[in-house]
Amino acid sequence: MDVLDKCRSWTTDHLRSIGLDSYYRTVDDCFGGTEAHFEGRRVVIAASHDYLGLSGDDRVREAAVEAVRRYGTSLGCSRAVSGSLALHEDLEDRLARMLGQQAAAVVPSGFQANLMLAPLLGTGDVAFSDFANHASLRETVGLSAGEERRFRHADLAQLEQMLDAAPSQAGKVVLTDGMFSVDGDVCDLPGITRLARACGARVVVDSSHDLGVLGVNGAGVTEHFGTGADIVTSALSKSLASVGGVIAGPSEMIHYLRFHARAFTFTAAASPANVAAALAALEILQSEPERRIRLLTLAERLHNGLRAMGFDTGGSTTPVVPVHVGERMRCFRTWQALCEAGVFSTPMVYPAVPEGSELLRITLTAAHTDGHLEQVLTAFEQVGRKEGIIPDSTPDTYTPVRITGLPVQAQARPV
Ligand SMILES: Cc1ncc(COP(=O)(O)O)c(C=O)c1O
């Protein structure tokens, strides 16, 4: 038996036959994160989590270029042995303060930030994890000595039963995404925290998608609800227009993890350019709240424009807009037709979503124009009708979505 046997059947023909050849395509010439060249045509990028549209911002780009000039492209080693730059410490201090935590550690990816949780879970400890959590939260429990128990997505009654049934002496932690990256809903952090406090469990929130999007200062889901979490993690690749990750919590925990988390100790330092870009983006996120309002306003118009045509955007109340299509091959056909109509979205199929719940995920950023929004809506209307996803004539009524965190005075006008 050769461990590579399984790779031989995974050919391009096989991928095409199951529709998965839509993934790992090459996208050229990104124009400020809103448009790109794809297969010879210019497309609107509606598939990025650069929520505040800062990856194309001149100040963010300049900060990255300046860091490369000053420090080079890499520190070439783990921070444990080759030290940190003041840039790393500055970003850690600012993120900890913003997230309402004592301390933080920055790593080269959001995935690794979640892997840093593993040493907290010892033998007999239990992690209670929402079914829809990001894969990296699952992975961290797998790397730990603890046990994973998954509760149905957003089902707090089941979480409560599971917490009650767990051994009283076990260390317990509840893991949840803040804003869910596929369904676009927001976790019930006050409810989760109440259940956790009642049995001495800790709460970890992955704020990758809500940082910069929720909360009056863009600090994420904890600020939105005014409910603290024990530990907050986040990717820096969404609103912070960079690549990297952060874990924030009590100082003693961060100190402990710097020596016990292999995902921190045995990995190279986050690159100077990425740290500098995240710092510049953080500054803009905090000083230009109008970007967040623009993002939320566009999202509300996008949701309601699609709903008015008869599309189903599920339970999302955020800029993550899932358009339910309901069948794998139809999902890929629709995705391809949308590309031909100039819109690049993300097809989500099993195992990312349950079989039969296939969807196209669309996200517009604060940098998209009203023209981009119209182009996306027009393409969806044409393609949706052709594929039979929406009726030929516009329905008389629809239930509008009110976007979480959008101030009433900024409420989007009806489409
Ligand atoms: C909720 C969530 N957590 C963690 C990650 C991982 O972040 P990164 O891409 O920086 O590794 C992602 C990214 O897709 C995410 O959506």
Side-chain angles (χ1 to χ4, degrees), residues 109-112 114 134 136 177 181 206 208-209 235-238 244:
S109 78
F111 204 101
Q112 278 170 269
N114 281 337
H134 190 262
S136 49
D177 283 9
S181 62
D206 180 335
S208 296
H209 289 270
L236 308 182
S237 53
K238 323 279 181 205

